[in-house]
Amino acid sequence: MLSLRHFQKIRKIKTCTQNYVRRSASSYGQRNAVDIGIHGYSLLAIPAITFGLGTWQIFRRQWKLGVIDHLASRTGASPIPFQSTDIEGLSDMEYRKFELHGKFEHDKEIYIGPRSLVGNEKNEAGGMLSSGQSGYLVITPFKLSDSNLTVLVNRGWIPRKKMNPFTRLNGQREGETKLIGVYRSNENRPQFVPQNQPKDRMYHFRDVEGMARLLNTAPIFFDADADSTVPDGPVGGQTVVTVRNEHVSYILTWYSLSIITAFLWHRRFIKKMPLM
């Protein structure tokens, strides 16, 4: 039979063992915390930030899909009659098709360029294909029949050799004309693009307000559609609607970086293993 003294010794050994285990665990945790240090915790920000960027790209992709759907509904909608009394509402009508009736003032045409001829075929990204031919867009005042308003119409593309109107007299539409125009807003000067040259009737970007002042028209601009093309005249349908949507690749990139850097951090600071 075990005496009371033996029970007391066993209990004492048990207590000492428990205390030792607790001290060892505490010492191990403190040692690991010291080993990670400020440098280790600062590096932990890399997988955290890249994970956040990947999540942000998911929301950006949802927003971009909404923009693409909106533009598709605009460009695919049937044209509506242009109401000269509702000019204020045009600010929210980018890429909307309008039916216009009036006469061209060919003696006042100006040019935007150089530009490449845009075809009707689309590439995989949804943009229009360029032929690579260099030329200019012909911008002509268009006097509306049902009002005193004159607007600007991009009749389309011509090659360099056809810039002189006398080389394409058969393509200068006279008299009452009906056309479908895509409304376009003012364009800010892109980086590295030269300044416009109004004195030479040459523009390098779509400065609607500047063109309107030069030609004494309303600051309203339309791109004539492809059906407006006539023999020996500018090639219509030069509206380019391209919205880049590469967010899926961005999502994969950021999440991959997050996973890789998190694995390397765990291997280095938790497992205490070399990275290579």
Side-chain angles (χ1 to χ4, degrees), residues 79-150:
I80 58 177
F82 177 72
Q83 301 292 335
S84 59
T85 57
D86 190 25
I87 297 177
E88 297 295 332
L90 287 175
S91 59
D92 190 39
M93 301 295 281
E94 182 83 1
Y95 296 114
R96 192 70 170 85
K97 293 180 181 179
F98 289 88
E99 183 179 307
L100 306 174
H101 296 264
K103 295 181 180 180
F104 284 110
E105 299 177 356
H106 295 295
D107 59 321
K108 297 181 180 180
E109 71 178 29
I110 58 178
Y111 312 95
I112 298 179
R115 291 287 189 276
S116 296
L117 173 63
V118 174
N120 293 325
E121 298 82 7
K122 293 187 177 182
N123 58 26
E124 293 180 357
M128 307 300 288
L129 291 176
S130 170
S131 68
Q133 301 181 59
S134 181
Y136 293 85
L137 302 177
V138 179
I139 315 302
T140 308
F142 189 75
K143 176 67 172 61
L144 298 178
S145 300
D146 58 351
S147 71
N148 293 323
L149 198 67
T150 300

Side-chain angles (χ1 to χ4, degrees), residues 18-175:
Q18 290 175 340
N19 291 336
Y20 174 78
V21 171
R22 291 193 189 99
R23 286 196 300 269
S24 298
S26 177
S27 175
Y28 177 78
Q30 292 175 357
R31 187 165 59 252
N32 279 351
V34 172
D35 289 344
I36 293 176
I38 297 176
H39 176 67
Y41 283 117
S42 64
L43 291 178
L44 188 60
I46 297 176
I49 291 174
T50 51
F51 180 85
L53 290 171
T55 303
W56 177 65
Q57 286 295 332
I58 291 177
F59 291 102
R60 287 280 297 171
R61 179 177 181 271
Q62 292 174 343
W63 169 80
K64 185 62 67 66
L65 291 176
V67 171
I68 293 174
D69 289 341
H70 178 68
L71 289 178
S73 64
R74 281 280 177 90
T75 57
S78 299
I80 58 177
F82 177 72
Q83 301 292 335
S84 59
T85 57
D86 190 25
I87 297 177
E88 297 295 332
L90 287 175
S91 59
D92 190 39
M93 301 295 281
E94 182 83 1
Y95 296 114
R96 192 70 170 85
K97 293 180 181 179
F98 289 88
E99 183 179 307
L100 306 174
H101 296 264
K103 295 181 180 180
F104 284 110
E105 299 177 356
H106 295 295
D107 59 321
K108 297 181 180 180
E109 71 178 29
I110 58 178
Y111 312 95
I112 298 179
R115 291 287 189 276
S116 296
L117 173 63
V118 174
N120 293 325
E121 298 82 7
K122 293 187 177 182
N123 58 26
E124 293 180 357
M128 307 300 288
L129 291 176
S130 170
S131 68
Q133 301 181 59
S134 181
Y136 293 85
L137 302 177
V138 179
I139 315 302
T140 308
F142 189 75
K143 176 67 172 61
L144 298 178
S145 300
D146 58 351
S147 71
N148 293 323
L149 198 67
T150 300
V151 299
L152 297 166
V153 172
N154 170 18
R155 294 186 61 205
W157 181 91
I158 55 171
R160 290 176 180 268
K161 62 182 181 180
K162 290 284 188 178
M163 283 191 65
N164 189 334
F166 292 101
T167 63
R168 45 185 167 83
L169 290 176
N170 293 333
Q172 303 292 72
R173 301 173 65 176
E174 300 290 348

Side-chain angles (χ1 to χ4, degrees), residues 14 28 222 257 273 275:
K14 180 180 180 182
Y28 177 78
F222 296 95
L257 286 174
M273 299 174 63
L275 298 181

Side-chain angles (χ1 to χ4, degrees), residues 206-272:
R206 193 176 59 253
D207 179 11
V208 177
E209 297 176 358
M211 294 177 185
R213 287 192 298 268
L214 177 67
L215 300 177
N216 194 28
T217 69
I220 303 174
F221 191 101
F222 296 95
D223 286 340
D225 69 355
D227 292 337
S228 69
T229 304
V230 295
D232 203 32
V235 180
Q238 298 301 300
T239 304
V240 179
V241 184
T242 303
V243 180
R244 295 180 60 186
N245 183 18
E246 300 177 355
H247 294 287
V248 172
S249 63
Y250 297 153
I251 292 169
L252 294 176
T253 299
W254 288 122
Y255 277 152
S256 296
L257 286 174
S258 179
I259 293 172
I260 292 171
T261 54
F263 170 78
L264 294 175
W265 188 92
H266 184 269
R267 178 184 176 89
R268 172 65 180 83
F269 292 100
I270 302 301
K271 295 293 188 179
K272 308 300 180 185

